[in-house]
Amino acid sequence: MFNVAIDGNVGSGKSTLAKELSERLNFKVLDTGAIYRGIACYYKSLYKTEPNEKIIEDFVKNIKIEIKFIDDKQHVIVNDIDYTPYLRLEETSMMASTISQFKLIRESVLSLQRQFAEENNCIIEGRDIGTVVLPNAQIKLFVTASEQVRAMRRYEQMKDKPNSPSYNEVLEDLRLRDYKDMHREIAPLKPAKDSIIIDSSNQTLEETVECCIKIIKKKYVENSN
Ligand code: DC
């Protein structure tokens, strides 16, 4: 199967990019952040305290994680509860960033991600796809943009919603999550050695998509020859 790994930091636009590419290439797409978000929701439903090694050890013992595609939309189901409506809540984002630092949590989703890649021509997006999950992916893209550009994109997405945060709050939250993702001991966010860096700070979405399509098609043709 042909696998495209897309990693990138908070607000880099990797989800939007992955979705656009998947539609144009007719590839499936797996959003792995959503899996950690689903686990975070389940954790919050069980525990009122912050996670630690001991709690996580118990927590993962009986965890069952499923991904289903309903009308082309990815659903995350943990222990038979579909958490999809709650994945994008701010409180979920923070807990996902915290919980994804634990080795046992990461191990519990590894085989699910690899199986998806084995069964589909696909784009898998996350933080450690090119480095850990799919070290042999045919294409590895690392998507980024300046902090200010990423914060402004997030702010624009949220500003008309009730209780939306200010630009400065968005920027602070983004810095905190970036720090956690990049400095954790296990599978920190970093470009794989053989990844192609896509800096979208000064590009429109269309320009970024076009640039990635060219890279992917070239490799796809080389691979089929
Ligand atoms: O991409 P996202 O914001 O939906 O991801 C939510 C959190 O999950 C993020 O803080 C980091 C974590 N994550 C991860 O550790 N590894 C991945 N492959 C994807 C996400």
Side-chain angles (χ1 to χ4, degrees), residues 51 66-67 108 114 136 156 163 178 188 190 203 213 218:
E66 294 168 281
I67 299 296
S108 67
R114 286 188 175 153
N136 297 322
E156 289 290 337
N163 305 320
D178 264 359
K190 62 175 180 195
Q203 285 182 337
I213 292 261
K218 184 167 177 282

Side-chain angles (χ1 to χ4, degrees), residues 4-7 14-16 18-19 29-34 113 123-129:
V4 179
I6 303 187
D7 292 301
K14 60 188 181 328
S15 303
T16 314
K19 190 168 166 289
V29 62
L30 182 68
D31 170 1
T32 62
Q113 298 172 81
I123 297 165
I124 303 202
E125 56 113 337
R127 302 288 193 287
D128 61 339
I129 310 304

Side-chain angles (χ1 to χ4, degrees), residues 119-169:
E119 291 172 358
N120 300 287
N121 280 335
C122 64
I123 297 165
I124 303 202
E125 56 113 337
R127 302 288 193 287
D128 61 339
I129 310 304
T131 49
V132 176
V133 180
L134 302 178
N136 297 322
Q138 284 85 347
I139 300 266
K140 296 177 187 176
L141 304 175
F142 189 89
V143 190
T144 188
S146 73
E147 247 178 24
Q148 287 71 19
V149 167
R150 291 185 289 123
M152 187 49 80
R153 285 179 189 157
R154 281 255 141 156
Y155 171 72
E156 289 290 337
Q157 276 170 356
M158 295 193 281
K159 73 172 196 273
D160 296 328
K161 295 189 180 147
N163 305 320
S164 61
S166 66
Y167 168 78
N168 281 335
E169 284 168 338

Side-chain angles (χ1 to χ4, degrees), residues 6-12 14-15 31-37 40 87-88 92-101 105-106 109 113 124-130 133 154 177-178 180-181 184 186-189:
I6 303 187
D7 292 301
N9 40 18
V10 178
S12 59
K14 60 188 181 328
S15 303
D31 170 1
T32 62
I35 307 176
Y36 291 99
R37 286 170 180 271
L87 298 181
R88 314 306 308 179
T92 306
S93 304
M94 270 301 160
M95 182 52 82
S97 181
T98 302
I99 213 158
S100 58
Q101 301 183 49
I105 295 285
R106 305 202 72 82
V109 293
Q113 298 172 81
I124 303 202
E125 56 113 337
R127 302 288 193 287
D128 61 339
I129 310 304
V133 180
R154 281 255 141 156
R177 287 174 56 206
D178 264 359
K180 277 184 175 174
D181 293 345
R184 67 183 176 215
I186 304 145
L189 170 69

Side-chain angles (χ1 to χ4, degrees), residues 17 141-145 196-200 203 208 211-212 215:
L17 176 63
L141 304 175
F142 189 89
V143 190
T144 188
I196 300 163
I197 309 283
I198 307 288
D199 186 336
S200 69
Q203 285 182 337
T208 310
C211 156
C212 295
I215 296 169

